[in-house]
Amino acid sequence: MSRLIISGPYKFNDEIYVQGAKNSILPILASSIISRGECIIRNCPDILDVHTTIEILHYIGCKVKFEDSTICVNSENIVKNEIPEDLMRKMRSSIIFLGALIARTGRAKISLPGGCELGPRPIDMHVSSLKQLGVSVEIINGCLDFKIINKISEANISLPFPSVGATENIILASSICKGTVTINNASCEPEIVDLANFLKKIGVKIYGEGRNQIKVQGANKFHGCEHEIISDRIVATTILGAAATTGGAVTLKGINCEHLDTPISVFEEMGCFISKEKNALKMSAPEKLLPVKEVRSMPYPGFPTDSIPIMTACLCTANGVSILVENIFKNRFRHVEELCRFGANIKVEGNIAIINGVSHLFSSNVEAKDLRGAAALLIAALKSHGTSTISNINFLLRGYDLSKLIPKTIYKLEL
Ligand code: UD1
């Protein structure tokens, strides 16, 4: 079993260049197959989910090269339109190949995606939206077979919830539409804007990205492009969380501060001092953090669901009681039991975590259960005195390039 051995405490006093966004690079890699040319994508994070996506791209026939945070994808010769179950199951983002394969080949044969066990993660909105575009779906031996019946047609789709994945799949499938597809109640996340910017470069016309109504006008000619991935706002929040918890200071470089507005206001409520610069942010933390009244996860621009576990770790040693409410996924608090092994006092009631700040944490041996929960355990280990071990650390490596997060001298990685 993979594990991370870490010696705490570690007080941040670093300048960190934040890695490229996982939730941008994965859909952009998938959609590179629509280009039929060569796409050069910069600022790519070296994380497991990127390597899984590259495996899928190789499987369907692309040539891919990953060197020094730049990925070149050549998708001239696609030879398959199905994705094997073992690759689909490795991560939730594999579902974005659905829209990309439909646009490129007119057909996609996939099984249900995997990813973190955050509770039920249905794809009913993806399926019903694609049907509205003229895509049929059949279930054969547990495998979903999507096919364009005539051609992708104009549509006016209203999502019951601003699902990130469904918005992305509709945009991708619509990239070959003759006419306009309108998506109402679309996701406004910065990673959707990044995807739209990439698609515009390969030839698709998109309007309204970043707002809740997006319009896509398809194209019949596409070409390769060069693109730079935006920085990862969840990784940025993780670093801020680690610096805040350990009473340190940190400068984040290469970021877009606007994407961090909501988390920044929470760190300020916790007593941290933050100053924003162009593409950079400085934070220094007090010796003891203040508790927060209530933080609720909401679709962007609300507080991100991915950062809720980070906050559970930060608030463990705050000076009082804090409340966190998770509104997107049922099982966001699976890591809390493990956090309590560090000495945290947290009670979970349904989708609410009540955190009673304690004076200190002690080192422990714990097990990661999902990606962001693993990041919370890492923060607790950095705060504790002594050596801690986090097993199943592959969960963390799905989304974080550890070597860019903390100094190599304080940890040992056993894979
Ligand atoms: C979600 C997060 C995204 C985060 C990602 C990884 C939101 C709105 N989305 O994106 O910020 O980066 O997880 O952790 O915060 N749903 C359905 N049917 C569907 C699709 C979704 O019921 O067809 C439900 C999900 O179960 C979930 C909610 O809608 O409760 C949000 O899902 P969605 O935004 O699609 O999830 P992801 O794309 O994984």
Side-chain angles (χ1 to χ4, degrees):
M1 191 190 282
S2 63
R3 57 182 199 152
L4 176 72
I5 302 158
I6 187 149
S7 342
Y10 176 70
K11 196 166 177 162
F12 275 73
N13 190 8
D14 301 291
E15 190 175 288
I16 299 178
Y17 186 90
V18 178
Q19 69 185 54
K22 166 172 115 42
N23 292 339
S24 273
I25 182 64
L26 303 182
I28 285 175
L29 281 176
S31 42
S32 67
I33 66 172
I34 300 172
S35 79
R36 293 156 172 83
E38 185 171 71
C39 294
I40 299 170
I41 307 159
R42 304 189 205 285
N43 199 28
C44 303
D46 194 352
I47 54 176
L48 290 184
D49 278 8
V50 163
H51 289 280
T52 305
T53 308
I54 291 175
E55 256 185 88
I56 297 177
L57 289 169
H58 276 148
Y59 180 85
I60 60 179
C62 298
K63 288 190 186 128
V64 189
K65 209 169 83 191
F66 187 2
E67 230 173 59
D68 297 333
S69 75
T70 297
I71 300 181
C72 296
V73 185
N74 185 318
S75 62
E76 267 171 64
N77 298 310
I78 295 287
V79 291
K80 292 198 178 85
N81 54 15
E82 99 250 21
I83 300 173
E85 193 175 352
D86 59 323
L87 287 176
M88 281 301 291
R89 277 183 177 279
K90 278 192 183 174
M91 54 175 193
R92 170 79 181 175
S93 298
S94 53
I95 192 66
I96 306 306
F97 275 94
L98 168 56
L101 281 171
I102 290 278
R104 173 66 194 260
T105 71
R107 190 167 182 181
K109 286 188 269 179
I110 58 166
S111 58
L112 286 176
C116 287
E117 299 294 330
L118 302 174
R121 296 179 84 170
I123 58 162
D124 54 311
M125 283 189 241
H126 303 239
V127 175
S128 65
S129 309
L130 289 178
K131 280 186 181 166
Q132 289 177 64
L133 293 173
V135 176
S136 71
V137 55
E138 260 184 280
I139 303 175
I140 304 165
N141 299 329
C143 176
L144 302 165
D145 188 358
F146 293 85
K147 264 186 248 172
I148 295 180
I149 309 169
N150 291 318
K151 60 176 194 302
I152 296 275
S153 45
E154 281 204 325
N156 192 336
I157 298 172
S158 294
L159 290 172
F161 181 87
S163 156
V164 178
T167 303
E168 290 169 340
N169 264 329
I170 303 167
I171 294 176
L172 294 189
S174 309
S175 65
I176 53 163
C177 160
K178 280 208 178 87
T180 304
V181 172
T182 304
I183 312 165
N184 301 301
N185 201 20
S187 163
C188 304
E189 300 213 350
E191 294 77 17
I192 298 274
V193 177
D194 206 17
L195 174 65
N197 285 336
F198 171 81
L199 290 169
K200 285 180 194 177
K201 289 181 187 169
I202 68 166
V204 189
K205 287 201 175 85
I206 304 179
Y207 309 92
E209 68 277 10
R211 298 197 294 273
N212 57 15
Q213 189 186 63
I214 298 178
K215 287 182 186 285
V216 185
Q217 280 173 358
N220 48 25
K221 256 199 161 159
F222 301 91
H223 43 81
C225 74
E226 294 197 21
H227 185 77
E228 183 167 330
I229 298 295
I230 58 167
S231 66
D232 195 312
R233 61 199 163 96
I234 310 299
V235 171
T237 307
T238 307
I239 300 168
L240 292 177
T245 308
T246 56
V250 72
T251 302
L252 299 183
K253 295 263 181 178
I255 56 161
N256 183 334
C257 294
E258 261 178 43
H259 298 166
L260 292 165
D261 273 351
T262 318
I264 284 174
S265 61
V266 175
F267 284 113
E268 283 174 338
E269 189 183 339
M270 286 156 70
C272 297
F273 181 75
I274 293 179
S275 64
K276 297 181 206 169
E277 291 166 16
K278 192 170 181 276
N279 301 329
L281 182 156
K282 282 189 174 157
M283 189 196 79
S284 55
E287 265 314 302
K288 191 92 186 150
L289 291 172
L290 300 171
V292 296
K293 241 176 154 183
E294 189 179 283
V295 176
R296 301 175 154 264
S297 64
M298 299 291 276
Y300 188 85
F303 193 87
T305 170
D306 288 61
S307 298
I308 287 283
I310 313 300
M311 289 300 149
T312 54
C314 300
L315 296 163
C316 280
T317 48
N319 198 13
V321 180
S322 305
I323 308 277
L324 298 176
V325 184
E326 166 58 25
N327 291 312
I328 311 292
F329 293 113
K330 282 221 155 54
N331 294 337
R332 253 303 171 212
F333 294 124
R334 293 175 78 218
H335 65 288
V336 161
E337 205 182 317
E338 302 298 297
L339 266 187
C340 291
R341 293 181 199 275
F342 287 98
N345 179 354
I346 307 176
K347 220 165 93 191
V348 175
E349 285 173 7
N351 66 332
I352 301 174
I354 304 145
I355 306 164
N356 252 296
V358 294
S359 60
H360 64 279
L361 298 179
F362 38 85
S363 57
S364 185
N365 298 326
V366 294
E367 189 185 331
K369 306 269 171 72
D370 58 56
L371 165 60
R372 305 302 172 189
L377 299 178
L378 172 64
I379 293 175
L382 292 170
K383 174 75 175 169
S384 314
H385 284 260
T387 304
S388 296
T389 305
I390 308 173
S391 57
N392 266 338
I393 200 65
N394 272 351
F395 276 119
L396 184 84
L397 306 179
R398 281 191 44 212
Y400 293 86
D401 181 348
L402 199 58
S403 67
K404 304 235 169 85
L405 221 58
I406 47 173
K408 290 197 171 118
T409 45
I410 64 161
Y411 73 88
K412 195 170 142 210
L413 197 52
E414 292 178 356
L415 296 174

